[in-house]
Amino acid sequence: MRESWRANSILFLFLLFFAGQVYSSAIQSISIVLMILIAFVDFGKTDGLFYFKYSKFHAKQFLSVWKHPSYWIFILFFTYLLIPYSSCQDWEYLSQRWVIKLPFLLLPAAFLTYDKPLGNKLSSLFLIFLVILTGQHMFTYFQQVNSHTDYTFTLKIGQSIATPGSHIKYSVITALVTMTNLYFLLFKYQTKSRSIITSLLIVFNIIFLHYLSVRTGLLVLYLSFLSLFISYIVSRKRKTLGISLAIGIILTPIFFYSISEGFRTKVNYMIYDLEQYSEGKGEDYSDSGRLTSITVGLEIFKEHPIIGVGGCNMRPIVAKKFNDLYPKYTKSLLPHNQFLFTAVNAGVIGLICLLIGFIFPFYQSRFKTPYTIAIFVSFIILFIFDQFLEGTVGVGIYLFYSLITLKFLAIE
């Protein structure tokens, strides 16, 4: 009975965390604090009386994190921010990095105190996530229609449809939740009625992601789905169905390009943007700006390869380099790639910390489950195409999915 109170409270905090990811980073931060605090308490009801007390047992589990390398290794994501530099021009930005990445220090240890039976309820929890997202998608769609804004024109000029928070993070959240539900559908037992409901919701979310037409989310969707289908072919020996599904996901973008004017417009705009970049005329286009940020980042990394320039110097140094190399660009962008961003920030030392912190937990799990492989592939995509760990929501997404994988989904 005790554990059911605590377990249900943790599941509620997961739900609160998800709501924060979609609607408010403040709610996400509050849920993370509560997820850490619950690691030290025990509560429930005995003989009709409610009790709430400090738990030595759970506190001991929390402090045992040093015996579990897959969990304490997350500290490396914070460690490279402590490299000292001879001068600091932007303390505000560095202090923001510290605050954003504080969860790396404590949340992994908190997950150690969570009980394994929680994993049995994850499929229901993620189905709730998918239902919430489906409702939000419908609201977003009708809001777009009622705004009388030309959907195709919005995409044609490189803008995005209005979503809660960042449209990129929103598409990534949708892709990851959809992929997780697909994993439970393919590899875990579900009743026939629930399988039908889940399948319909997955199809709807796939359609909406193409309506939204955000490339990062779509790439995560395509490659994580393909990973699950390949695992399904290998592990379930159902080659015909698995190969059919894999071919289906490969053909999906071609299908939507042929039937969806909005998706086709987005793809054509991307091609036009890249053409402008190749001709040296990309200063007014989003993709050109991101590609240029990578070129600028590489130049800075070559000049400061060992310890980088430091978080307290990144913005002014990147701005100066942009002005020197690309004076036509009115806006300087920090490197739009997590690996390069870290290399510019903390040099080879920081990059090694990032790679070890990222790869080691998955390596320790030996990639035993299809979900472990799919989530690993998803994060590689996110790190390549975005500075994903430099925002509150990105850190939350990374930690949440990494930790539920390690704790609950890394073993069949």
Side-chain angles (χ1 to χ4, degrees), residues 151 155 161 163 167 170-171 207-214:
Y151 160 68
L155 299 179
I161 298 164
T163 62
H167 65 285
Y170 185 76
S171 72
I207 293 171
F208 182 82
L209 276 172
H210 287 85
Y211 172 77
L212 197 60
S213 296
V214 177

Side-chain angles (χ1 to χ4, degrees), residues 240-282:
T240 302
L241 177 59
I243 291 173
S244 299
L245 292 171
I247 293 174
I249 199 64
I250 292 171
L251 295 178
T252 296
I254 300 173
F255 172 74
F256 277 99
Y257 185 85
S258 64
I259 69 165
S260 170
E261 184 179 358
F263 183 70
R264 185 166 56 250
T265 299
K266 186 72 172 183
V267 173
N268 291 340
Y269 174 82
M270 178 187 70
I271 294 170
Y272 175 75
D273 191 335
L274 294 175
E275 288 174 348
Q276 295 301 300
Y277 173 76
S278 65
E279 295 173 7
K281 304 175 183 177

Side-chain angles (χ1 to χ4, degrees), residues 78 81-82 88 90-102 310-313 315 345 392:
F78 188 89
L81 295 176
L82 303 177
C88 264
D90 193 355
W91 278 104
E92 179 188 359
Y93 187 73
L94 179 59
S95 61
Q96 288 173 358
R97 300 308 96 195
W98 287 342
V99 172
I100 287 170
K101 297 192 178 181
L102 271 177
C312 57
N313 296 310
R315 290 195 296 191
N345 185 341
T392 304

Side-chain angles (χ1 to χ4, degrees), residues 53-201:
K53 63 181 182 180
Y54 172 74
S55 171
K56 290 183 180 180
F57 174 74
H58 290 128
K60 188 175 180 181
Q61 284 183 308
F62 184 95
L63 295 174
S64 72
V65 66
W66 303 111
K67 299 177 182 178
H68 303 272
S70 293
Y71 288 83
W72 66 251
I73 202 75
F74 284 91
I75 291 175
L76 290 178
F77 288 97
F78 188 89
T79 303
Y80 66 80
L81 295 176
L82 303 177
I83 297 174
Y85 294 88
S86 57
S87 65
C88 264
Q89 306 176 56
D90 193 355
W91 278 104
E92 179 188 359
Y93 187 73
L94 179 59
S95 61
Q96 288 173 358
R97 300 308 96 195
W98 287 342
V99 172
I100 287 170
K101 297 192 178 181
L102 271 177
F104 282 110
L105 299 180
L106 298 172
L107 194 59
F111 263 75
L112 271 177
T113 73
Y114 300 166
D115 302 292
K116 286 287 186 181
L118 267 175
N120 299 328
K121 299 180 180 180
L122 281 180
S123 62
S124 298
L125 185 68
F126 271 92
L127 184 57
I128 293 173
F129 290 174
L130 195 63
V131 170
I132 293 172
L133 281 174
T134 300
Q136 178 59 51
H137 297 338
M138 295 174 69
F139 178 79
T140 298
Y141 172 76
F142 288 116
Q143 189 179 44
Q144 172 69 26
V145 171
N146 292 331
S147 70
H148 304 295
T149 303
D150 189 328
Y151 160 68
T152 305
F153 179 74
T154 299
L155 299 179
K156 188 174 183 178
I157 60 176
Q159 296 182 2
S160 60
I161 298 164
T163 62
S166 161
H167 65 285
I168 295 175
K169 297 299 187 295
Y170 185 76
S171 72
V172 169
I173 291 167
T174 300
L176 291 175
V177 171
T178 305
M179 179 272 289
T180 304
N181 277 277
L182 178 66
Y183 166 73
F184 288 125
L185 181 66
L186 291 177
F187 296 97
K188 302 294 180 180
Y189 171 77
Q190 295 190 358
T191 62
K192 184 176 181 181
S193 58
R194 180 165 171 167
S195 296
I196 293 172
I197 292 171
T198 303
S199 299
L200 291 173
L201 290 172

